[in-house]
Every structure is written in C-alpha cells, then in structure tokens.
Amino acid sequence: MRPAWPREGGPVGTGPKRGARSRIRPDADLLGADLRGADLRGAELRGALLIAADLRDADLSRAELIGADLRDARLDGADLRTAIYLTQPQLNAANGDRRTLLPPTLARPTHWH
C-alpha cells in the first residue's frame, strides 16, 4: 500500500502550518489520522478512508469528499460549509458538535453534541 503523502513531504497535517491540501492523494488511507486543525482546503479526499480520523477544527472548505468514509470521524469545529459532494449519510456516520459548520442543504445529525 502506498502512503497518503509523498516521501519527501512527511505525514499529512504535520509541519508548521499543518497544511495538507497539496499532499493528499485520492483514495488515501487515513484511518485514525490526527488531522486536528489541518488546512485541507481544496483537498482531493475522494474515496479516502477517514474512519476514526480526528478532523477537529480542520478547514475542509472546497475539499472533495465524494466516496470518503467518515465513519466515527471527529468533525467537532470543522468547516464543511463548502465541502464538495458531502452527503447526509457521511455526516450521520461521523461525530461532530454545535461548532461544526455545515452546508445549508445538510442537517446536523441528532447524535451530535
């Protein structure tokens, strides 16, 4: 299995700015990844395995999420307002809170805090 980031770039969401948008590959395996506060604006996350990933306070503006697996992902405080192809079933499978910013076309799941 290939890593989700180029060898020279280091892990996704690390470094001084915790930026990742140019280093994530579609279909990335990010199971349980610590992406707290990551700059994921415009990231191509289609088909990514984000199961139990920590995306608290991440900026997912314009991130492409078609087919991304968000089961048990932590979305507390994440900005998803302009995420592309985000669906209600993806949100329902994730965890978030009142600070999570959602597109106006999607509903906050009842199990969220």
Side-chain angles (χ1 to χ4, degrees):
M1 177 187 311
R2 66 182 180 176
W5 59 87
R7 200 174 288 207
E8 67 279 359
V12 173
T14 62
K17 293 187 180 180
R18 294 180 63 81
R21 68 176 165 249
S22 64
R23 294 186 281 165
I24 294 179
R25 296 182 177 141
D27 298 316
D29 182 348
L30 298 168
L31 293 165
D34 182 356
L35 298 168
R36 285 177 290 178
D39 178 358
L40 297 170
R41 291 175 293 168
E44 293 180 12
L45 294 170
R46 66 180 170 264
L49 295 177
L50 290 161
I51 298 169
D54 191 345
L55 292 158
R56 289 179 288 174
D57 300 311
D59 187 349
L60 290 147
S61 302
R62 309 281 305 153
E64 185 181 336
L65 295 171
I66 192 166
D69 193 337
L70 295 173
R71 284 179 290 167
D72 294 320
R74 300 272 317 263
L75 299 174
D76 309 52
D79 187 349
L80 296 159
R81 289 176 292 185
T82 58
I84 301 168
Y85 304 120
L86 178 65
T87 67
Q88 191 66 53
Q90 285 172 309
L91 287 178
N92 294 346
N95 298 299
D97 65 6
R98 59 178 165 60
R99 298 178 305 118
T100 307
L101 302 173
L102 300 175
T105 56
L106 298 175
R108 187 171 310 280
T110 57
H111 70 277
W112 285 18
H113 300 87

